[in-house]
PDB file of all heavy atoms in Angstrom:
ATOM      1  N   ASN B 367       6.254 178.383 223.383  1.00  0.00           N
ATOM      2  CA  ASN B 367       6.835 179.838 223.463  1.00  0.00           C
ATOM      3  C   ASN B 367       6.791 180.459 222.150  1.00  0.00           C
ATOM      4  O   ASN B 367       7.665 181.348 221.866  1.00  0.00           O
ATOM      5  CB  ASN B 367       8.292 179.595 224.017  1.00  0.00           C
ATOM      6  CG  ASN B 367       8.491 178.927 225.210  1.00  0.00           C
ATOM      7  OD1 ASN B 367       9.118 177.837 225.435  1.00  0.00           O
ATOM      8  ND2 ASN B 367       7.877 179.482 226.236  1.00  0.00           N
ATOM      9  N   TYR B 368       5.865 180.247 221.409  1.00  0.00           N
ATOM     10  CA  TYR B 368       5.671 180.853 220.029  1.00  0.00           C
ATOM     11  C   TYR B 368       5.760 182.444 220.240  1.00  0.00           C
ATOM     12  O   TYR B 368       5.138 182.889 221.214  1.00  0.00           O
ATOM     13  CB  TYR B 368       4.468 180.489 219.456  1.00  0.00           C
ATOM     14  CG  TYR B 368       4.211 180.877 217.949  1.00  0.00           C
ATOM     15  CD1 TYR B 368       5.374 180.889 217.086  1.00  0.00           C
ATOM     16  CD2 TYR B 368       2.915 181.323 217.485  1.00  0.00           C
ATOM     17  CE1 TYR B 368       5.122 181.498 215.842  1.00  0.00           C
ATOM     18  CE2 TYR B 368       2.788 181.748 216.176  1.00  0.00           C
ATOM     19  CZ  TYR B 368       3.850 181.740 215.360  1.00  0.00           C
ATOM     20  OH  TYR B 368       3.786 182.268 214.113  1.00  0.00           O
ATOM     21  N   ASN B 369       6.331 183.046 219.372  1.00  0.00           N
ATOM     22  CA  ASN B 369       6.528 184.549 219.512  1.00  0.00           C
ATOM     23  C   ASN B 369       7.496 184.835 220.722  1.00  0.00           C
ATOM     24  O   ASN B 369       7.605 186.051 221.225  1.00  0.00           O
ATOM     25  CB  ASN B 369       5.233 185.329 219.580  1.00  0.00           C
ATOM     26  CG  ASN B 369       4.568 185.619 218.292  1.00  0.00           C
ATOM     27  OD1 ASN B 369       3.823 186.550 218.133  1.00  0.00           O
ATOM     28  ND2 ASN B 369       4.928 184.739 217.247  1.00  0.00           N
ATOM     29  N   LEU B 370       8.255 183.863 221.201  1.00  0.00           N
ATOM     30  CA  LEU B 370       9.111 183.917 222.387  1.00  0.00           C
ATOM     31  C   LEU B 370       8.317 184.555 223.511  1.00  0.00           C
ATOM     32  O   LEU B 370       8.866 185.434 224.388  1.00  0.00           O
ATOM     33  CB  LEU B 370      10.276 184.703 222.250  1.00  0.00           C
ATOM     34  CG  LEU B 370      11.404 183.949 221.361  1.00  0.00           C
ATOM     35  CD1 LEU B 370      12.728 184.643 221.260  1.00  0.00           C
ATOM     36  CD2 LEU B 370      11.680 182.546 221.959  1.00  0.00           C
ATOM     37  N   ARG B 371       7.184 184.003 223.819  1.00  0.00           N
ATOM     38  CA  ARG B 371       6.375 184.392 224.930  1.00  0.00           C
ATOM     39  C   ARG B 371       6.522 183.367 226.020  1.00  0.00           C
ATOM     40  O   ARG B 371       6.410 182.085 225.744  1.00  0.00           O
ATOM     41  CB  ARG B 371       4.907 184.484 224.595  1.00  0.00           C
ATOM     42  CG  ARG B 371       4.658 185.757 223.624  1.00  0.00           C
ATOM     43  CD  ARG B 371       3.229 185.465 223.104  1.00  0.00           C
ATOM     44  NE  ARG B 371       2.101 185.285 224.172  1.00  0.00           N
ATOM     45  CZ  ARG B 371       1.541 186.215 224.774  1.00  0.00           C
ATOM     46  NH1 ARG B 371       1.836 187.439 224.543  1.00  0.00           N
ATOM     47  NH2 ARG B 371       0.605 185.977 225.696  1.00  0.00           N
ATOM     48  N   PRO B 372       6.945 183.742 227.207  1.00  0.00           N
ATOM     49  CA  PRO B 372       7.089 182.796 228.306  1.00  0.00           C
ATOM     50  C   PRO B 372       5.796 182.108 228.597  1.00  0.00           C
ATOM     51  O   PRO B 372       4.807 182.626 228.444  1.00  0.00           O
ATOM     52  CB  PRO B 372       7.433 183.621 229.513  1.00  0.00           C
ATOM     53  CG  PRO B 372       7.635 185.147 228.997  1.00  0.00           C
ATOM     54  CD  PRO B 372       7.141 185.106 227.738  1.00  0.00           C
ATOM     55  N   LYS B 373       5.732 180.806 229.021  1.00  0.00           N
ATOM     56  CA  LYS B 373       4.704 180.176 229.471  1.00  0.00           C
ATOM     57  C   LYS B 373       4.068 180.897 230.852  1.00  0.00           C
ATOM     58  O   LYS B 373       4.914 181.145 231.579  1.00  0.00           O
ATOM     59  CB  LYS B 373       4.940 178.632 229.752  1.00  0.00           C
ATOM     60  CG  LYS B 373       5.256 177.907 228.463  1.00  0.00           C
ATOM     61  CD  LYS B 373       5.244 176.406 228.640  1.00  0.00           C
ATOM     62  CE  LYS B 373       5.762 175.610 227.498  1.00  0.00           C
ATOM     63  NZ  LYS B 373       5.774 174.176 227.716  1.00  0.00           N
ATOM     64  N   PRO B 374       2.796 180.895 230.887  1.00  0.00           N
ATOM     65  CA  PRO B 374       2.260 181.662 232.111  1.00  0.00           C
ATOM     66  C   PRO B 374       2.454 180.897 233.343  1.00  0.00           C
ATOM     67  O   PRO B 374       2.810 179.706 233.402  1.00  0.00           O
ATOM     68  CB  PRO B 374       0.720 181.784 231.772  1.00  0.00           C
ATOM     69  CG  PRO B 374       0.500 180.739 230.722  1.00  0.00           C
ATOM     70  CD  PRO B 374       1.714 180.368 230.045  1.00  0.00           C
ATOM     71  N   ALA B 375       2.351 181.566 234.418  1.00  0.00           N
ATOM     72  CA  ALA B 375       2.254 180.859 235.763  1.00  0.00           C
ATOM     73  C   ALA B 375       0.979 180.201 235.959  1.00  0.00           C
ATOM     74  O   ALA B 375       0.046 180.497 235.326  1.00  0.00           O
ATOM     75  CB  ALA B 375       2.451 181.986 236.818  1.00  0.00           C
ATOM     76  N   GLU B 376       1.037 179.296 237.028  1.00  0.00           N
ATOM     77  CA  GLU B 376      -0.214 178.660 237.399  1.00  0.00           C
ATOM     78  C   GLU B 376      -0.408 178.773 238.989  1.00  0.00           C
ATOM     79  O   GLU B 376       0.509 178.596 239.615  1.00  0.00           O
ATOM     80  CB  GLU B 376      -0.045 177.108 237.077  1.00  0.00           C
ATOM     81  CG  GLU B 376       0.031 176.804 235.574  1.00  0.00           C
ATOM     82  CD  GLU B 376       0.192 175.271 235.247  1.00  0.00           C
ATOM     83  OE1 GLU B 376       1.387 174.761 235.526  1.00  0.00           O
ATOM     84  OE2 GLU B 376      -0.731 174.564 234.745  1.00  0.00           O
ATOM     85  N   VAL B 377      -1.604 179.033 239.290  1.00  0.00           N
ATOM     86  CA  VAL B 377      -1.832 179.106 240.767  1.00  0.00           C
ATOM     87  C   VAL B 377      -3.252 178.191 241.041  1.00  0.00           C
ATOM     88  O   VAL B 377      -3.943 177.964 240.153  1.00  0.00           O
ATOM     89  CB  VAL B 377      -2.126 180.501 241.165  1.00  0.00           C
ATOM     90  CG1 VAL B 377      -1.060 181.420 240.922  1.00  0.00           C
ATOM     91  CG2 VAL B 377      -3.390 181.065 240.465  1.00  0.00           C
ATOM     92  N   LEU B 378      -3.269 177.818 242.346  1.00  0.00           N
ATOM     93  CA  LEU B 378      -4.144 176.914 242.704  1.00  0.00           C
ATOM     94  C   LEU B 378      -5.031 177.591 243.928  1.00  0.00           C
ATOM     95  O   LEU B 378      -4.523 178.138 244.911  1.00  0.00           O
ATOM     96  CB  LEU B 378      -3.723 175.583 243.259  1.00  0.00           C
ATOM     97  CG  LEU B 378      -4.689 174.434 243.907  1.00  0.00           C
ATOM     98  CD1 LEU B 378      -5.506 173.969 242.709  1.00  0.00           C
ATOM     99  CD2 LEU B 378      -3.995 173.378 244.418  1.00  0.00           C
ATOM    100  N   LEU B 379      -6.236 177.771 243.556  1.00  0.00           N
ATOM    101  CA  LEU B 379      -7.256 178.399 244.630  1.00  0.00           C
ATOM    102  C   LEU B 379      -7.599 177.329 245.693  1.00  0.00           C
ATOM    103  O   LEU B 379      -8.083 176.359 245.330  1.00  0.00           O
ATOM    104  CB  LEU B 379      -8.529 178.922 244.113  1.00  0.00           C
ATOM    105  CG  LEU B 379      -8.399 179.971 243.055  1.00  0.00           C
ATOM    106  CD1 LEU B 379      -9.777 180.650 242.955  1.00  0.00           C
ATOM    107  CD2 LEU B 379      -7.315 181.088 243.374  1.00  0.00           C
ATOM    108  N   LYS B 380      -7.146 177.550 246.995  1.00  0.00           N
ATOM    109  CA  LYS B 380      -7.445 176.451 247.963  1.00  0.00           C
ATOM    110  C   LYS B 380      -8.363 177.239 249.039  1.00  0.00           C
ATOM    111  O   LYS B 380      -8.471 178.467 249.029  1.00  0.00           O
ATOM    112  CB  LYS B 380      -6.126 176.126 248.673  1.00  0.00           C
ATOM    113  CG  LYS B 380      -5.104 175.366 247.798  1.00  0.00           C
ATOM    114  CD  LYS B 380      -3.726 175.201 248.473  1.00  0.00           C
ATOM    115  CE  LYS B 380      -3.708 174.283 249.560  1.00  0.00           C
ATOM    116  NZ  LYS B 380      -3.537 172.886 249.048  1.00  0.00           N
TER     117      LYS B 380
END
Side-chain angles (χ1 to χ4, degrees):
Chain B
N367 298 121
Y368 188 38
N369 280 201
L370 284 186
R371 291 168 51 86
K373 294 188 187 180
E376 295 178 287
V377 299
L378 181 63
L379 302 195
K380 298 164 74 79

